[in-house]
Structures are given as C-alpha cells and as structure tokens.
Amino acid sequence: MMRLLFSVLFAAGFTLSAGTLTTAWAQQDLDVDQVNADDVQEAGGETERPIGLGALMGGKMRPSFSTNRKKTFPKFEDVIEGYEEVISTADKKPGLMRIWTRKKDNQMLAELPRNFSKKKFFFACTVASGEVFAGLQAGDRYVYWRRYDDRLALIEPNITMRSTGDKESKSSVERLFTDRVLLDIPIVTMRPRGGPVIDLDDLLVGKAGSFFGARTARGINRNLASIETAKAFPKNIEVSYEVPVAGGVLKSLHYSISEIPNKTGYKPRKADARVGYFTTSYQDLGQYDGETTWNRRINRWHLEKADPKLKLSPPKNPIVFYIEHTTPVRYRRFVREGLLYWNKAFENVGILNAIEVHYQDATTGAHMDKDPEDVRYNFIRWLNNDIGTAIGPSRVHPLTGQILDADIVLTDGWIRTFEFQFTELLPQIAMEGFGPETLAFLHENPSWDPRILMAQGHEQQMMRAARLRGPQAFGGHPLAAAGGQLMGDNEYDGLVGRTSQVNGLCMAALGKAFDLSLLSMSREIALAADKAKKDGKEEDEELLDGMPARFIGPLLADLVAHEVGHTLGLRHNFCASSLYTFAEINSDDVKGKKPFTASVMDYNPINIDMNDNTQGDYAMIDIGPYDMWAIEYGYTFSKKLDKILARCTEPALQYATDEDTSGPDPRARRYDFAKEPLDFAKSQINLANYHRERIIEHFVKEGDSWAKARRGYDLTLSTQMRAVSMMANWVGGSFVHRAKKGDGDRPPIEPVSAKRQRDAIAFVIQHSFYDEAFGITPDLMKHMSVDKWFDGGGFLSAMRDATYPLHDRVMGIQASALTMLMNPTTLGRVYDNELRVEGSEDCLTLPEVLNLVTDSVWEELTMTSAGGNYTVRSPMISNLRRNLQRTHLDRLIDLALRNKGRTAAYKSIASLSSLHLRKLEQMISDTLNAHESVDDYSNAHLTDCQTRIKKALEARFIVQ
C-alpha cells in the first residue's frame, strides 16, 4: 500500500519544500509549473527536491504541488517596460525595496530583498489626508513574507505566546500558537539575480482594509487610485496613494514600510505597577516559578550616552522632533517649550539634551524634505479641524518595547472660543467615574442614565437605540469596545488588542477647551465691567487669537508636555493633581516657582481661583516630581531599580491611570484639582455664580445675539455639574495605593474619612437639590434666546425652542446627582467600607447616606409650619423641588424592588429603601392632614406620591 502511494505521488509530480504547506496544496490547485532552483535560491527560499519516504513519514518538510519543470514568469524586462525606477538616495543606492512607477496609469511595482524570508518588516500606516484627524497614526503591522510557489503571503508572527523554558515547552507552544496569514498576492515576475516583484497597487490599495481596518478602507475605488508619494531609502520605503473611499471622499493612505531587526542593542526593562508606562507584553508558558506567566516590558526609547564615562553626556542618538510647518508661527515657541520641559528629567539620569527640536518651515524650505508619516522622523503636527483634542501615539518594536517612532497631533479647536452644548458636555461630565457595574445597571434602568436624562429631545431615540443594542460586555465600558489598530475614537484604543500599548484618545485638550471657555468668559465680563476705568494695560498685552499670550502660551506648552510624555512611554497619572491644597497652589510659595501638581500626565484643569487667594499659575510651568521619578525609572543607567521604586510611598509619587478612574479612589479622577478638591469645587461654584450675575449686563455686549446669554448660562451649568460630579466620587470612596509589601506600613486600601464623605454629600445636596443653586431669575429667563441658522453651523439650534427649557435642564442635573449618590455601586462601596473601618472609629454608613438624601429632598415635609398660606404662585413645594422629589421616589422604588441584585449589598439596600418609602408615606399623610389649605400643585404631587408608594410596597410584598 505504501509503495503504491509513493508511486502515485511521484507520478503526479509531488515535491516537497522546506516552507509551509502551500496555498495551492490547501486549495487543491493542480498547477504543474515550478520555479527553477536558482530563482528560489535567490529569493531567499530553498531548492525543492523530490519527496523521500523518510520526509513523508515524519520529516519537517511539507508537500506542495509542482513539477520539476521550470516555472515560467513573464520576463522582468517586459514587466517593467514603461516604468521608471524610484531613486531617493543621493548616492543612488537601492532602497530596502526597489520601486518602479508608471505615471500614466499610476501603477507601482516593488521588488522584495533577495533574502526577504529572513527579515521582519514593519508596516506603519497613516491616513495623511481626508479625515478630521488626518496625520494620526492608524496602526501598524509586524510581519514577514513567505513564498508559496508563485504567490507570497504576508504573515503576522505569533509573539504573544512564547516559551523561554525547556525544549518540550517550546515545542508545545510552537505547535499550539501559530502565525497568522494576513493576505496573499501573486508574484508578478522575478528580477534576475534578485527577488520577487509584486504589484504594490494590489497590496496597498486592494488590500488596504488589512492595514487600515474596514472602516477606513470601506468603499475604496481602486480604479481611481493615484500615487502621491513613492520614496525608497536603505532601511524603509514611503508610499502613499490618494483613493476615493465610501461617499467619494478622497483620502491619502500612507505606508511606511521598514526593516525591523530583532537585535538593536536595546535592553528591555521590566514594567512595574507602581510607575505608569505603556507596556509590551507576552505570555511565557515555559515559566513556572512566578505568580504569573505574563512578561511585561515598558515602552521607551533606546537612549545611550555618547560617552558612558561622563556623569552628564550628550546622547548617542537624541530623540529628535520636528514641528510641522502647518503649526501657526505664533504658537511655535510654546510648542517647543513644552517639548524641552522633559530634558530636565533626562539630565537627572545623565543625558544632556536628550530631546532636540527643529522647525519645519515652508518659507525657508527647512526640513521640508521630511515626510511627517515617515517612521524615521518624529513630528508634532497641527490640524485645523475645529476639534479640541491632542494625541501623542508612538510605534514600538513588538518584541522589546523599544519606541521606534512618535507623532503628536495638536488641533486648533481647544483654542477657539469653544461652545459647549448642554446635551453634549453635561452627560459626559456626569458619567465621569462610572464603572462597568454602574453602566450595566444604567442599561437596565435607563431612567437613571445621565446620558438620557440630559438628552434634550433625543430621550426616546437613545432609549430605543439602547434596547436594540442589548446588554453589552462590561456595561458598554469604553475599555470593552477599544480596538488595537485604530486610535483616536476611544480613550482606551491602543491599550488593548495589540502587543505594544500606545495611548488612545487623549482627552487632556478637552478639559483645556472647557476651562479656556470659562477663562474667556471671565475675561470678557471683566473687560466689559472695567471698560469705563481701563488704564490701557490690557490693550498693550500680546494677544493670540483674542486671548492674552500669558494665558494661551503656558496652556499650550503644558498640553504639548503632556503629549510628549506619552511619546516617551508614560501613561496618564490621575492622582497627580492631589499634591497641594488649592490655597497652596494659589500662593506665593508655589506660583512661578514650581509646578502646582505632581505631573503633566494628569488632566490638570486651568487654575482659576475665585476664592480669596493669590491667583496662581494658570497652567503647569514645568514637569512635576512624578515625571522626574518616572523617567528616572525608565531611563536610568543604574541597576538599582528597587531603590528607585521604593520611593513610591512619597505623596508626590502616587500613581493612578485610566483603568482606575472607574474605581473607588476619588483622586483617580479626570479634571479634578487639589489635595482637598472641596476647596476647588467651591471656587468653581463661585465662578459659575459670578458669571450668572453678569451675563446680561457684561457678557452679552452691544450688537451680540441674545443666544450668547443661553450659551453662557449653559457653560455655568457645566461648571456646576463638574464640581458636583467631582465631589460625588468621594462618597463610598477608598484611597488605593499601588505600593507593595515592604513599601512602608500603609495598607493598599484606605477608606476615605467619614468627615470628608459627609462634606462631599453636603456639597452635592447644596448645589444640585435647591432652587437657589441654579441662580435663575425672570430677567435671565427672558433673555436666553437661540439663533436659528439652517446650515451646518446652526442646524441643531434651529430645532430648539426659542424659550429656555429650565425645568428640563435642572431636572436632568438633579436626577443625575441622585444617580451619583444612590446607584448600587456607590451604596455598595459605603456598605463594604463599614467593615474596613475599626469599630471604634467614625464611619459613614448606608442608612446615614440614604437618610441624608431623603431628608434634604423632602425637607418641606418637616420644615413647613402648619396653616401656611400657599397658592399656585407661592406653593408649598416649588416646581423644581417637586421634580426632584418625584425622581427620588422613583429611585427608592427601583431600589426597593431590586432585592435580587448582583451583590450582597442589594438586599440591605432594598430593605432600607422600603423603610424610607414607609416613612415617606407617613410623612406625606401627616403633612396633608396638618394643612387645611395646600396649593393644588403640592396637593396633587403629594397625593400622587402617596398612591405610588402604596402600590410599590404592595408590589414588593408580592415579589418577596
């Protein structure tokens, strides 16, 4: 039988190569041509030979259909006829890949190196134009080529699962976790004594979805693709095509393809949870002596001293940034300043001028030969897209964590006088800090969801969309929806789904835009109020786009420093703003002398002080102590890393990042400020009240539309909501320390003191539950109009009612505040903290939280004297308070009926909520009986509430 099989195989021309099983074999393609041995040898493959019985029975060689006859490709000279070779080097030496272009029909061919099978390649992709975030890195691929007869496959190696253990584990891992074929293309021809030639149009345009993702490449019209860039250098090629995509939009897709050697002299450094770096990780299944099989290395540049003997030496290869020529001249010096802040940290580890900065300039031609998309160059790019953001991604060697390339994208939107819409900004502020458990609860209880509560006119649409979407993993938390390839639409993009982590959507600029709007509003009001007595100093100030340079310059440098930190490998640190108290920040001891937070890697708000302090610096004036320490750990040449990490207990070196923002630590919060945020929150409320009192007289100037009054008031509501949301995070909070055992004697979890939690609850109640908190007057209500333009700049406003919907606005804020205090996650944390606090110590309890909320919401039932003279114009319970009470009652009913929730705290929460319902029923009954004349509004409201409570309690009894 074996002899018969052997004869049949030879009769069919069955041969074997040392490569992988061919596509032809897998697809039963009986192509009988064969590449000659010389061509295979020159292309980096091995000569095929007839199969032997030993190989068939267990040898490593795999079969492929072909014959011993020579494979006939078209002649190389015939294929490239009409093409012109691209020569990009001064000495005319060939590049990593030789390129030929035919301009008349925009065709491009490329030749792989002769030894291509022994190389690894790096495909770095960028959408260079045609998108509002054009210039932002769009992913990368670490790949190699493998030949399958007359085709080439582009393969992504498995590097996430490895073994550094014994040979048995290595063999097992190699068998279980194999490489992945991304695509395959035909070989067009073979260059004599050279490598295989491929059609780059077929690869880079026809297969663009494999590199950029389906969303970017959707609807590409290959027939209209045109070559924009074609450059060949010794270590890389730069190619870009302009192509129409879905909708006919022209996009430029840029590819930077480079060789990526496995050995560069770079030594990886172990990641540590106490200091925040992006990481390159893999699972080592050959190790058994640790708690985890995961091996994590930090992402960092390969920086070396030019002279290792010197204590302070220039770098052998500095990190060089180019400021793109599109950056406005008026802002370039501040961009450069933010970049160079970091040299101070590198000097601390012995490297002088580790970062260099050059200006690209279209007028003089300086550095205009450098493409921002080229992986050899690091650029700061400026986009005029009217969007307030900034992002600093990098590309990393996926085996080691060595940073290879970085580009920072700045946009102009945050500098403009930004118009924040209530329905866009407030829900985002209110959702800050909600974790997966709370998000899942909001999906099941949409009446609690701030995104729906504040979606003026879109509530039903959003609820329907949520129902159609159904339950989502982790409640729809952005981390669960993050992608590894595209960056810029999710704050966690780039942190998951890829071996090398880079930052995703950085929202530091969003906070700057919001605060700059406040600063601009304050300045307009102050200028109008002091117009009659101005001394002329303001007119002498240098103004940049309507704002004094002393404001905008430091803010821009601060923002750039933040994004540069990302490109150096650093992650966000949202604990950093808790270094100093608000009074210390705005004191002569700090102002102008040292940065007011521990790190530029926090989302630090603009420092606007409305308390009785010295106005401190508006922005960070340098990198902070945490930044110095983090760079020291990542880039030091000392081997005593444990000694550096041992400092992690110092107050200035506390670290919490994006994943921590949905946890219990109230310091791990975006856009909060100061060691005692309550002082900052009070200042924010003072700022909102200051603006409200001056909107009509000073903010809306002669000739302005009265729609500006509405925008100004909505901005004050956003300020108020940010302060309320920030303080609500402190209820049920616990400080989480990343220190390990031996790093001092402090426990890793430390409950927030009862006093600070009570102060936080009192703040939330005072500034969201009472009518006075919203500073509304009839005069203001009569002036908050709306402009109606039927175009892209005003279409949404054209759909709004000209009269201001105050009740809906306030109800959205009040209901969201109740969600922050009464959601099961917050209440469950309060409940669990009761066991974390010693019995002899003061502790905030679950009954106390519910009592504080209920007593404040239903205050009229206990404070109103009998026999009051109430009318519909002067009701017992105001319009806004009735809405608040009805919403609170809904919350209690929801909690009372949810006695089978996800956690052990649900039962206690449900029982206590039922107790409050019974108390309320009695209080309402007593109030109605005590007053002979209750206004119709209050009477109807209380009677309805009483009925609903009875029905709810009956329902709970039945459910039980």
Side-chain angles (χ1 to χ4, degrees):
M1 183 66 184
M2 183 60 67
R3 182 177 300 172
L4 176 62
L5 174 62
F6 188 82
S7 301
V8 170
L9 291 174
F10 263 102
F14 191 77
T15 59
L16 191 73
S17 74
T20 306
L21 183 64
T22 67
T23 305
W25 167 264
Q27 297 177 350
Q28 301 293 305
D29 185 358
L30 302 179
D31 182 2
V32 296
D33 286 332
Q34 181 188 10
V35 183
N36 70 24
D38 288 340
D39 284 344
V40 176
Q41 201 78 42
E42 291 169 3
E46 295 186 16
T47 306
E48 294 182 348
R49 58 180 183 269
I51 189 170
L53 183 61
L56 180 67
M57 297 299 294
K60 293 184 178 180
M61 295 186 292
R62 299 185 177 100
S64 70
F65 275 115
S66 71
T67 70
N68 289 326
R69 291 188 294 121
K70 181 178 180 179
K71 175 70 180 182
T72 56
F73 285 109
K75 289 185 178 180
F76 172 77
E77 293 78 8
D78 294 340
V79 170
I80 67 166
E81 185 176 355
Y83 284 81
E84 182 179 346
E85 184 170 2
V86 174
I87 303 295
S88 304
T89 55
D91 57 8
K92 297 186 179 183
K93 288 185 178 180
L96 172 68
M97 297 167 63
R98 297 181 70 172
I99 298 176
W100 296 267
T101 61
R102 192 167 63 196
K103 295 181 179 180
K104 67 177 183 179
D105 56 357
N106 285 288
Q107 298 297 303
M108 193 182 315
L109 302 174
E111 177 200 353
L112 299 186
R114 291 179 58 186
N115 60 342
F116 70 90
S117 64
K118 299 177 182 179
K119 293 178 178 291
K120 294 293 191 301
F121 297 89
F122 195 68
F123 281 64
C125 307
T126 307
V127 179
S129 68
E131 289 185 354
V132 293
F133 286 108
L136 180 63
Q137 294 177 5
D140 49 64
R141 295 288 189 186
Y142 175 67
V143 294
Y144 64 92
W145 290 100
R146 177 184 289 173
R147 183 169 180 177
Y148 290 79
D149 199 16
D150 61 350
R151 300 188 70 84
L152 290 169
L154 191 63
I155 301 176
E156 199 167 50
N158 162 54
I159 54 177
T160 59
M161 297 292 184
R162 313 180 202 173
S163 172
T164 60
D166 52 42
K167 63 180 181 179
E168 291 80 11
S169 68
K170 291 179 180 178
S171 176
S172 176
V173 169
E174 289 175 3
R175 180 171 61 89
L176 297 177
F177 304 101
T178 56
D179 299 347
R180 184 169 72 99
V181 174
L182 295 176
L183 55 88
D184 67 288
I185 57 173
I187 298 173
V188 176
T189 186
M190 297 292 300
R191 189 176 69 84
R193 311 303 301 177
V197 177
I198 60 174
D199 184 345
L200 274 188
D201 308 312
D202 183 26
L203 174 66
L204 303 182
V205 178
K207 315 286 187 183
S210 298
F211 300 101
F212 286 90
R215 184 177 62 182
T216 298
R218 186 174 68 251
I220 279 183
N221 186 340
R222 295 181 58 183
N223 297 323
L224 299 181
S226 60
I227 300 170
E228 282 195 330
T229 304
K231 298 179 181 180
F233 302 105
K235 296 295 183 181
N236 65 299
I237 68 169
E238 303 297 320
V239 175
S240 64
Y241 293 88
E242 182 187 67
V243 293
V245 296
V249 176
L250 290 170
K251 287 187 178 181
S252 294
L253 306 182
H254 187 102
Y255 295 86
S256 188
I257 305 173
S258 56
E259 180 183 356
I260 181 167
N262 289 337
K263 295 181 179 180
T264 64
Y266 174 83
K267 296 180 179 179
R269 179 152 297 172
K270 182 179 179 181
D272 193 282
R274 290 167 285 186
V275 59
Y277 273 86
F278 298 112
T279 61
T280 294
S281 308
Y282 67 90
Q283 199 168 0
D284 189 345
L285 298 180
Q287 299 301 314
Y288 297 89
D289 57 350
E291 295 181 359
T292 179
T293 58
W294 283 94
N295 187 308
R296 302 180 178 95
R297 291 106 172 255
I298 67 171
N299 294 350
R300 60 178 184 147
W301 294 87
H302 187 193
L303 278 178
E304 300 175 287
K305 290 182 177 181
D307 185 348
K309 298 178 182 178
L310 294 176
K311 183 177 181 181
L312 187 62
S313 166
K316 182 183 295 185
N317 293 299
I319 303 169
V320 181
F321 273 96
Y322 297 89
I323 299 175
E324 192 179 18
H325 69 93
T326 56
T327 307
V329 175
R330 60 190 177 277
Y331 293 127
R332 292 181 187 178
R333 61 189 174 105
F334 302 116
V335 173
R336 183 177 186 275
E337 184 179 335
L339 271 162
L340 296 179
Y341 279 169
W342 289 95
N343 273 341
K344 176 181 177 181
F346 287 105
E347 286 182 22
N348 187 50
V349 297
I351 304 177
L352 183 66
N353 297 324
I355 298 176
E356 294 181 0
V357 184
H358 302 287
Y359 294 119
Q360 186 187 55
D361 191 84
T363 303
T364 64
H367 302 292
M368 292 299 293
D369 59 324
K370 298 175 177 64
D371 295 326
E373 297 85 11
D374 191 330
V375 293
R376 296 176 300 168
Y377 307 116
N378 311 304
F379 265 82
I380 291 189
R381 314 193 68 175
W382 188 279
L383 307 181
N384 284 79
N385 59 9
D386 203 21
I387 297 175
T389 192
I391 307 176
S394 58
R395 293 185 174 108
V396 181
H397 193 308
L399 294 180
T400 64
Q402 178 186 349
I403 297 177
L404 306 172
D405 168 47
D407 294 297
I408 295 169
V409 173
L410 303 174
T411 65
D412 66 337
W414 72 277
I415 292 177
R416 300 176 188 270
T417 303
F418 208 81
E419 293 185 8
F420 283 94
Q421 299 297 337
F422 178 93
T423 54
E424 298 170 1
L425 182 64
L426 257 67
Q428 186 173 346
I429 292 173
M431 295 297 292
E432 182 66 33
F434 286 172
E437 182 182 8
T438 305
L439 294 175
F441 174 81
L442 295 180
H443 173 78
E444 297 174 1
N445 298 269
S447 62
W448 290 60
D449 195 327
R451 294 167 294 189
I452 294 175
L453 293 169
M454 298 183 191
Q456 304 293 316
H458 303 283
E459 298 92 338
Q460 296 303 317
Q461 179 185 359
M462 292 187 65
M463 291 181 70
R464 181 175 180 274
R467 286 194 298 269
L468 291 175
R469 192 165 53 242
Q472 296 177 281
F474 300 99
H477 193 277
L479 183 57
Q485 188 171 8
L486 294 175
M487 289 172 275
D489 62 342
N490 182 313
E491 65 248 53
Y492 295 98
D493 280 351
L495 300 184
V496 296
R498 52 192 296 150
T499 305
S500 302
Q501 294 184 0
V502 300
N503 70 302
L505 175 63
C506 181
M507 298 185 293
L510 180 64
K512 290 283 191 294
F514 175 74
D515 286 325
L516 196 58
S517 296
L518 290 176
L519 195 60
S520 178
M521 188 176 183
S522 299
R523 181 172 173 272
E524 285 190 54
I525 290 173
L527 288 177
D530 298 340
K531 189 174 182 180
K533 55 181 179 180
K534 278 184 62 175
D535 56 10
K537 289 183 179 179
E538 185 72 33
E539 289 147 345
D540 295 335
E541 277 199 302
E542 181 186 7
L543 297 181
L544 300 179
D545 296 320
M547 289 293 291
R550 62 188 174 91
F551 289 161
I552 204 70
L555 294 178
L556 180 54
D558 181 4
L559 181 61
V560 170
H562 177 100
E563 302 306 333
V564 172
H566 284 317
T567 67
L568 297 177
L570 298 184
R571 297 196 60 188
H572 291 132
N573 180 7
F574 295 123
C575 262
S577 58
S578 60
L579 180 60
Y580 298 117
T581 66
F582 195 58
E584 289 172 335
I585 290 170
N586 293 285
S587 70
D588 293 333
D589 292 335
V590 173
K591 181 180 180 180
K593 297 181 176 67
K594 48 189 174 183
F596 53 53
T597 75
S599 175
V600 294
M601 302 313 298
D602 203 336
Y603 287 175
N604 295 311
I606 297 175
N607 176 35
I608 307 174
D609 182 18
M610 293 299 292
N611 297 333
D612 296 328
N613 301 318
T614 298
Q615 172 61 57
D617 296 315
Y618 290 101
M620 292 281 281
I621 59 173
D622 203 343
I623 59 173
Y626 168 84
D627 304 319
M628 297 286 292
W629 177 66
I631 292 298
E632 182 182 8
Y633 174 75
Y635 290 88
T636 184
F637 300 101
S638 170
K639 296 182 179 180
K640 299 179 180 179
L641 299 180
D642 289 342
K643 185 177 180 180
I644 296 173
L645 290 170
R647 296 179 54 208
C648 69
T649 58
E650 296 177 17
L653 307 184
Q654 300 308 293
Y655 166 62
T657 193
D658 295 80
E659 302 90 85
D660 300 303
T661 57
S662 59
D665 194 331
R667 302 169 305 172
R669 167 87 186 198
R670 302 178 181 94
Y671 313 120
D672 68 340
F673 203 40
K675 190 175 183 178
E676 294 292 344
L678 183 60
D679 296 332
F680 174 63
K682 289 178 179 178
S683 178
Q684 292 284 286
I685 295 297
N686 291 340
L687 183 64
N689 291 334
Y690 172 85
H691 288 163
R692 287 169 184 164
E693 294 167 2
R694 294 162 176 80
I695 286 176
I696 295 177
E697 183 179 358
H698 298 308
F699 183 55
V700 183
K701 299 184 287 294
E702 291 291 329
D704 286 345
S705 166
W706 283 110
K708 188 176 180 181
R710 178 188 286 228
R711 294 196 298 269
Y713 183 75
D714 277 349
L715 188 57
T716 68
L717 284 183
S718 301
T719 306
Q720 179 177 345
M721 190 61 175
R722 181 167 71 168
V724 167
S725 175
M726 179 175 63
M727 294 315 302
N729 274 179
W730 286 76
V731 181
S734 293
F735 300 132
V736 179
H737 309 296
R738 288 178 172 250
K740 299 182 179 181
K741 187 173 182 179
D743 296 333
D745 56 359
R746 182 176 60 188
I749 299 175
E750 179 185 356
V752 174
S753 69
K755 181 183 183 305
R756 297 179 83 173
Q757 293 186 67
R758 291 188 186 108
D759 289 344
I761 294 176
F763 181 89
V764 174
I765 289 172
Q766 179 183 355
H767 298 292
S768 59
F769 287 4
Y770 296 105
D771 297 5
E772 298 79 13
F774 299 94
I776 201 70
T777 65
D779 193 31
L780 188 56
M781 285 286 289
K782 288 185 288 188
H783 284 88
M784 291 192 290
S785 183
V786 64
D787 287 330
K788 293 183 180 289
W789 296 101
F790 204 68
D791 55 30
F795 178 76
L796 292 177
S797 63
M799 303 296 290
R800 295 192 180 98
D801 198 309
T803 57
Y804 190 77
L806 179 69
H807 287 90
D808 292 339
R809 291 283 204 265
V810 173
M811 185 174 68
I813 291 177
Q814 291 178 330
S816 297
L818 286 172
T819 297
M820 296 169 195
L821 294 177
M822 298 179 65
N823 72 80
T825 302
T826 296
L827 296 179
R829 287 171 180 166
V830 172
Y831 191 54
D832 287 340
N833 272 349
E834 294 179 28
L835 297 181
R836 294 190 183 98
V837 178
E838 298 292 338
S840 59
E841 297 180 15
D842 186 18
C843 179
L844 181 73
T845 64
L846 187 56
E848 183 180 355
V849 172
L850 293 175
N851 284 332
L852 287 170
V853 174
T854 299
D855 290 347
S856 60
V857 171
W858 299 89
E859 196 174 89
E860 291 84 352
L861 303 188
T862 58
M863 296 183 63
T864 305
S865 59
N869 185 21
Y870 303 112
T871 68
V872 292
R873 292 293 292 154
S874 181
M876 173 191 292
I877 307 172
S878 72
N879 302 15
L880 301 180
R881 293 279 294 177
R882 290 196 301 271
N883 289 335
L884 172 67
Q885 291 173 1
R886 178 63 178 253
T887 305
H888 177 254
L889 180 57
D890 290 341
R891 298 287 196 267
L892 286 177
I893 291 173
D894 286 344
L895 293 176
L897 295 179
R898 292 182 61 84
N899 60 351
K900 294 183 180 179
R902 294 182 179 85
T903 66
Y906 266 92
K907 190 68 176 179
S908 294
I909 293 171
S911 298
L912 287 169
S913 298
S914 298
L915 177 63
H916 278 259
L917 289 174
R918 294 188 183 92
K919 287 182 178 180
L920 275 178
E921 182 185 16
Q922 186 62 50
M923 291 169 65
I924 292 172
S925 179
D926 292 344
T927 300
L928 292 175
N929 292 333
H931 294 276
E932 297 178 358
S933 176
V934 177
D935 62 276
D936 288 348
Y937 276 138
S938 302
N939 195 348
H941 164 67
L942 292 175
T943 302
D944 181 61
C945 289
Q946 191 175 41
T947 301
R948 295 187 72 247
I949 291 172
K950 290 179 180 180
K951 295 294 185 182
L953 291 174
E954 290 172 3
R956 186 171 191 274
F957 178 77
I958 294 172
V959 170
Q960 284 183 328

